[in-house]
Amino acid sequence: MQTRIKNLREDHDLTQKELSKILNVSQVAYSYYELNKRNIPLELLCKLADFYDTSVDYLLYRTNIDLPYEKNINNKNSSKKTIKI
């Protein structure tokens, strides 16, 4: 994941310091995310996906499609799945 968030940041001509200010985290913390020294909190991962207009799955390498998913604000119509572990 660290490569993808670094590449996106560089593609948007941002420094770690600039992006860390946007995300309201320290530059050191953000650099640890890029270096995979620290796990990115889910809330921050969602902010990154929104900022880059992509999906969390793209950031996590679960897909190579960089388009965002359609946001479903009202979850009444969503079907629930049971996941067996």
Side-chain angles (χ1 to χ4, degrees), residues 36-84:
N36 206 27
K37 289 185 176 182
R38 188 182 289 174
N39 290 328
I40 301 176
L42 183 57
E43 181 181 324
L44 192 60
L45 195 60
C46 291
K47 284 183 181 181
L48 282 167
D50 288 343
F51 180 77
Y52 291 126
D53 197 29
T54 191
S55 68
V56 170
D57 282 347
Y58 179 74
L59 297 177
L60 296 173
Y61 283 93
R62 293 177 49 103
T63 183
N64 287 325
I65 301 169
D66 64 351
L67 298 174
Y69 295 124
E70 181 179 327
K71 292 192 179 12
N72 185 0
I73 297 171
N74 186 353
N75 289 330
K76 290 180 183 177
N77 295 331
S78 65
S79 62
K80 295 182 181 180
K81 290 185 178 181
T82 304
I83 300 173
K84 295 181 182 179

Side-chain angles (χ1 to χ4, degrees), residues 5 9 16-26 30 33 40 43-52:
I5 64 171
R9 178 181 57 77
Q16 286 184 349
K17 187 173 183 176
E18 291 169 330
L19 187 55
S20 67
K21 283 185 179 184
I22 293 167
L23 298 172
N24 199 27
V25 297
S26 72
Y30 183 80
Y33 302 143
I40 301 176
E43 181 181 324
L44 192 60
L45 195 60
C46 291
K47 284 183 181 181
L48 282 167
D50 288 343
F51 180 77
Y52 291 126

